[in-house]
Every structure is written in structure tokens, then in C-alpha cells.
Amino acid sequence: MDIADLFLDQGVIVSTHGRIAQEDSTYSAHQKGTWHVPLTVIIDQESASAAEIFSGAIHDHHRGTIVGVRSFGKGSVQGIFQLDGSDSGLRLTTAKFYSPTGKPYSRVGVEPDVVVRQAARPINGTVAVQDDAMLNAAVQIARNVALRGK
């Protein structure tokens, strides 16, 4: 949420809604210290949690361009509750995250502005930069935005 606040000068970044009112909260941006720079964000099917909060806030506030494929859709707030008399705990989902426009992240994710599918990665997990379709698309979009701004 702090990172999104660097790029948004006002408005909701994320809200949570739970089964009880104490789990409901809203996190908003503050104008002080906002970075006013062009922004392109890459997400994929493994982007979750904080990445979804950040990209969702940027998307909903039309602050930048989101490139890639729909994110994972985690969107859950979890707490660990200590079990009495043991060194164990129980992890429970207590609330869910929602975008600034009220859309749930859970099981939905963030839909990019520009869909770019990445080709399968080699077995060793490395891809040469020139072969990264998402990165190439994001760089081209960033260049176009920069050129329009001059």
C-alpha cells in the first residue's frame, strides 16, 4: 500500500471486508510525496497479494498501463491464531481485499489494459530479454507515453 501511495495522490488504494466490522478497513493515498512519472506495470498469472493491490490501484485510478495477463486472484487477508498450550497456530482467512472500484481480487485477479501472453519458458527458467514479450510490450508502451509527453 505504501508503494501505491507513491504513485497516487488521492483516492482509495485498497479496502478490506470481513465477516466482522473490525476486519473492514480502507487504505487511501496521500498527496505528499507523490511521484508524477509515466508508469507501466507488468503482471502475470503468478502476480498475487501486494502485486494485485498495487496493479489494481494503478488500473482503477487510470494512473498507468497494466501489461500482461490476468493476475492470480489471491485477495485474501489471513491471520495466524496461536493455539493454546502449543507452538502451533491456525491460519484463517479473516477478510478479502477489494480494488478502489470495489471489485474483489479473490478468484478474479486484475485484468491488464494490454493483454500479452508470454511464450513458454525454457526448462532452466531463463529467457533472454529480447524474447520477453511482456517486457517488450511494456517498454514500447512506456516509450509511446514518454514521446506523447514531450
Side-chain angles (χ1 to χ4, degrees):
M1 292 170 262
D2 291 341
I3 300 300
D5 196 10
L6 292 173
F7 295 95
L8 299 170
D9 57 6
Q10 65 181 352
V12 171
I13 293 173
V14 68
S15 60
T16 63
H17 301 288
R19 292 185 180 133
I20 58 174
Q22 292 133 325
E23 296 292 335
D24 295 352
S25 58
T26 300
Y27 300 91
S28 297
H30 306 88
Q31 190 168 12
K32 185 178 180 181
T34 302
W35 299 350
H36 297 280
V37 296
L39 187 60
T40 304
V41 179
I42 301 172
I43 61 171
D44 67 13
Q45 66 279 0
E46 294 181 27
S47 300
S49 301
E52 289 178 306
I53 291 169
F54 179 79
S55 60
I58 298 304
H59 178 269
D60 284 5
H61 286 287
H62 307 285
R63 176 59 185 81
T65 304
I66 312 301
V67 176
V69 296
R70 185 173 58 90
S71 66
F72 183 78
K74 182 175 181 275
S76 59
V77 180
Q78 297 181 331
I80 299 176
F81 300 89
Q82 185 73 33
L83 297 175
D84 290 338
S86 109
D87 291 333
S88 301
L90 182 64
R91 184 186 311 245
L92 295 175
T93 297
T94 58
K96 298 202 184 247
F97 286 115
Y98 292 83
S99 77
T101 58
K103 297 175 190 166
Y105 291 118
S106 183
R107 299 186 185 149
V108 176
V110 175
E111 195 65 41
D113 299 307
V114 178
V115 175
V116 178
R117 304 212 181 276
Q118 183 71 39
R121 294 193 181 264
I123 293 173
N124 68 6
T126 62
V127 172
V129 172
Q130 66 270 19
D131 296 333
D132 190 324
M134 286 183 195
L135 178 59
N136 290 337
V139 168
Q140 188 59 50
I141 289 166
R143 283 184 179 140
N144 291 343
V145 169
L147 290 173
R148 282 195 308 258
K150 289 186 176 184

